Amino acid sequence: MNRYFPQGLPRLEPAGLDGWMVRLFDAIDEGNMPWLTALVRDCESAFGDGLVDLVPSYTTLLVVFDPLRLTPGEARQRLVELLQWLEPDEEAQDAPVQELPVWYDASVGPELSRLAELADMNLEEVVACHSERSYRVFALGFAPGFAFMGSVDSRIEAPRLESPRRRVPAGSVAVAGQQTAAYPAVTPGGWNLIGRTPTVLFDRDREGFSLLRVGDRVRFVPIDRAEFERLGGDPRPMEEGA
Amino acid sequence: MTHSVNGLSVTRAGPLALLQDAGRFGVRRLGVTQGGPLDLHGWAWANHLAGNAWGTPALEVTFGGLELVAECDLVLAVAGADLSMTLDDEPLAGWQSLSVKVGQRIAFDAPVNGLRAYLAVAGGFSAEPVLGSVACVAREGLGGHDGQGHRLAKGDCLKVTPRKASTGNEAPREEQYDYCQSVDLALLPGAQIGEFSGVSLFQAFNAPWHVDDRADRMGVRLTGPRLHCRMNSMISEGIGLGAVQVPPDGQPIALLNDRQTIGGYPRLGALTPLACSRLAQCLPGQEVRLKAVSTEQALAAYRGFRAGFA
């Protein structure tokens, strides 16, 4: 299986007293994710109580262990053994596509027109372009439940705003570079906003808390304002100067 | 939680007082940060002196300005920074347990030595865990005394589960840190260390660094010679506690408990947990030095520290 990985990988890198960084790949690719989700699963069973946290991201998995239960050397040895037998998680590969309804509209997506301008398209074409393909969740971070998804059609890639907004409304659907995301809560943010989803992405009372997980597949489904409101969305436009 | 009563009410809030247990674990893959006490050493001693088990929620008081009134008789202990504490206007000594009667006033004024004091009550503060922890993270709106990640505000009342405990317990002299003394921060070299220039590596471990005023629960920026790294940025990856990242401006940032879960700047390595604790007590302008240590040294120091606490 090691032939699948680039030269010199996978590699274990020191990450403090309680961590190892498992570097599997050197480039962002959807095909990385079944390997990462498989390694997450294997670590959970191999480390048991000695496991503190796992942070999968595009090409790596940070494994955080309890240094009272394991020495860094022991943790490393376990990881070496896991990597020898690692096989991609086929279930994750074929995971059902989760649908996120989105009301694409200039009142809640002020950069819809910017993307259209950059791509030399009309607004409907931008919406079609963003919603016709499914995306893979590459990483969660920045805020609880914030999923970095990719990759968007190269025609609607757009650089981050020069100056980030202080308050991006919860549910805002956005594009930055090759990536797309939906903001789970009100936070500052510099991505291009193109619409809003009524779906609650992070809920402390829900089993598992976050709707999206690394490795998930997601598709954005255009809805109109009436449907957006029926699903509980907040249709208020962006605040002035936000 | 069954016998919780009103323990301490807030009559003056100060800039930042937060309830913290050991931290929020197992949810970092969802983008949820760790939280917990910035100075694990001071927090652990406050709980230990109050007779509490490891992990019991205690109050982290940053800078001072906080005044509390006891709503019931309590045994408590304050450890960590000396924020010129008083009990009914009489000096209140840190690093020991004492009893407080209903109606007495506990005040934290301003930093004399260190930056963050920890107040533990015997039996512990009671709060509803959120995502498995009461660690208060304001940015995420999680945890704390109200579950919503709020810092203490005037009029708040902290619930406690009081328990009898002995008074007069005192931490050994050598554990009562003098935070004004010069600081060597133990650092475990990381994977990108070879990407820094030779001169930068020499400077990193030999030059004095100064704690910047851009310092909070997410991280502490250090100012000094500009470090040069061949990599400007990387694909974002998980960030451990104490990771020392170096953005293109060459000024390192030590990432602490409320750091973002992933990031893409190259790292010199990671401060040890105890070095993070020590850094968290430094005031802006204070001089620190980075000192490379081996994993064996760091592990022995950490296990030695933890062995003292049940």
Side-chain angles (χ1 to χ4, degrees), chain A residues 13 16-17 21 23 40 44 52-54 56-58 60 62 67-68 70 72 140-141 143-145 202 204 208-209 213, chain B residues 25-32 130-131 140-142 147 188 191 235-239 261-262 270 273 295 299 302-303 306:
Chain A
E13 301 174 351
L17 184 60
M21 184 68 74
R23 192 171 301 283
V40 163
E44 282 173 334
V52 172
D53 250 308
L54 292 168
S57 187
Y58 304 86
T60 53
L62 174 63
L68 298 184
L70 292 170
L140 264 68
F202 192 86
R204 57 169 74 185
F209 314 119
R213 302 276 180 139
Chain B
F25 298 106
V27 284
R28 238 187 279 172
R29 75 181 77 171
L30 308 179
V32 178
V130 179
L131 276 59
E140 297 179 344
L142 298 176
L188 292 156
I235 297 169
S236 280
E237 58 186 41
I239 307 174
T261 55
I262 60 173
T295 306
L299 186 66
Y302 185 70
R303 286 186 166 178
R306 287 294 302 266

Side-chain angles (χ1 to χ4, degrees), chain A residues 146-219:
Chain A
F146 187 98
F148 293 85
M149 294 177 255
S151 297
V152 301
D153 188 305
S154 59
R155 289 172 297 168
I156 56 166
E157 280 180 27
R160 286 173 170 76
L161 305 181
E162 291 216 350
S163 167
R165 290 189 168 87
R166 284 180 298 112
R167 286 173 59 82
V168 174
S172 292
V173 172
V175 169
Q178 294 181 301
Q179 306 198 79
T180 187
Y183 286 77
V186 178
T187 53
W191 289 33
N192 299 280
L193 310 186
I194 58 171
R196 203 178 284 175
T197 178
T199 304
V200 175
L201 296 154
F202 192 86
D203 182 353
R204 57 169 74 185
D205 298 322
R206 169 168 56 206
E207 173 87 19
F209 314 119
S210 176
L211 181 70
L212 303 177
R213 302 276 180 139
V214 167
D216 281 359
R217 293 199 294 165
V218 176
R219 191 194 297 273

Side-chain angles (χ1 to χ4, degrees), chain B residues 3-4 28 42 67 78 80 96 150 166 170 200 219 233 244 260 265 273 277 285 295:
Chain B
H3 301 296
S4 73
R28 238 187 279 172
E67 191 182 85
V78 180
Q96 56 183 274
H150 288 133
S166 53
E170 189 173 355
S200 289
S233 67
V244 178
Q260 61 276 38
Y265 291 125
S277 288
T295 306

Side-chain angles (χ1 to χ4, degrees), chain B residues 256-276:
Chain B
L256 301 178
N257 298 59
D258 288 4
R259 68 195 177 281
Q260 61 276 38
T261 55
I262 60 173
Y265 291 125
R267 299 151 199 183
L268 274 177
L271 300 182
T272 65
L274 294 172
C276 292

Side-chain angles (χ1 to χ4, degrees), chain A residues 92-107:
Chain A
Q93 183 79 295
D94 309 321
V97 178
Q98 302 202 53
E99 296 192 335
L100 279 185
V102 181
W103 175 38
Y104 293 94
D105 190 85
S107 67

Side-chain angles (χ1 to χ4, degrees), chain B residues 264-302:
Chain B
Y265 291 125
R267 299 151 199 183
L268 274 177
L271 300 182
T272 65
L274 294 172
C276 292
S277 288
R278 189 62 191 80
L279 176 61
Q281 291 290 6
C282 290
L283 279 102
Q286 199 166 342
E287 183 179 307
V288 299
R289 284 171 188 272
L290 300 175
K291 185 180 160 217
V293 296
S294 69
T295 306
E296 290 70 26
Q297 287 172 294
L299 186 66
Y302 185 70

